[in-house]
Amino acid sequence: MTSSGLSAPIDASEAHPARRYDYWLGGKDNFAADRESGDAIEKIYPHIRTSARQNRMFLRRVVRYLVEEAGIRQFLDVGTGLPAAGNTHQVAQGIAPQCRIVYVDNDPLVMVHARALLTGCAEGRTAYIEADLREPQAILADETLTGTLDLAQPIAVLLVAVLHFLPDDSAAGAAVKILVDAMAPGSYLVVSHATDGLMDHGIIETLSDGGHVGKTDTTLRSKAGVAAFFDGLTMVDPGLQIVSEWRPETDRPPTEQVSVYGGAAYK
Ligand SMILES: C[S@@+](CC[C@H](N)C(=O)[O-])C[C@H]1O[C@@H](n2cnc3c(N)ncnc32)[C@H](O)[C@@H]1O
């Protein structure tokens, strides 16, 4: 641990996913390296901000669906991100104040903001764990989690725009399986994931050439690759979709401008 109580110091010299995503969403919690990396990616893929915004809107809609229609009251949100409009606990507790949320992120800056800003309402609980999705057993065994969520009851595991930071297919699949195996029947898994499925071939080639954009650190997966994370579960209608097409409520951009698949499924 560092003197600040964090497991790792905050590194402003290299782009970090949470801060770069914050930049694309129009937030202020980012450094020059994040903006440079964000701009470089936007130059190659001009719809990246649209994709980020639509992913965030998907998160809000899916949490509302889970609370209002599926009756879920417990959430494990891995890959929290920096606070932005419509954080999971705000949407969930805004509908059912007794909702309990455990946030997990491996970025120390996210944890600083989470502790300061993501405070829940009195009837429910909001807790945070600094941990890595690549070590799901540690997340499940963490006392903060076991003291906040009852894993014998249904929960929703949210993996929203985080699995594409795990490049190895089998490691990513194994992490999801461990979390799904820990879910009680009636629980839900939500995944959203960056895809190259609808991208122009030239864009894919340039994006995958790290030399052009600095460290991209994002693994784009096909629709089938993303669908594999839901193996053994029952998809909620309308299945795995480009996130803007998942139970849309407003006008939305053409799907070619939204390079993220999303869906929800139950056990
Ligand atoms: C693009 S943001 C998504 C934020 C939020 N889920 C959303 O969709 O609006 C991705 C988040 O995942 C976190 N992250 C990336 N890799 C991770 C890992 N291996 N374990 C835990 N968190 C991770 C990043 O720090 C960042 O906060």
Side-chain angles (χ1 to χ4, degrees), residues 17-18 21 55-56 59 77-82 104-107 110 131-134 160-162 164-166:
Y21 180 67
N55 177 68
R56 192 74 194 174
L59 172 63
D77 183 346
V78 186
T80 308
L82 289 157
V104 180
D105 205 286
N106 70 349
D107 185 332
V110 169
D132 199 296
L133 176 55
R134 287 166 292 191
V160 178
V162 64
H164 46 237
F165 298 113
L166 273 59

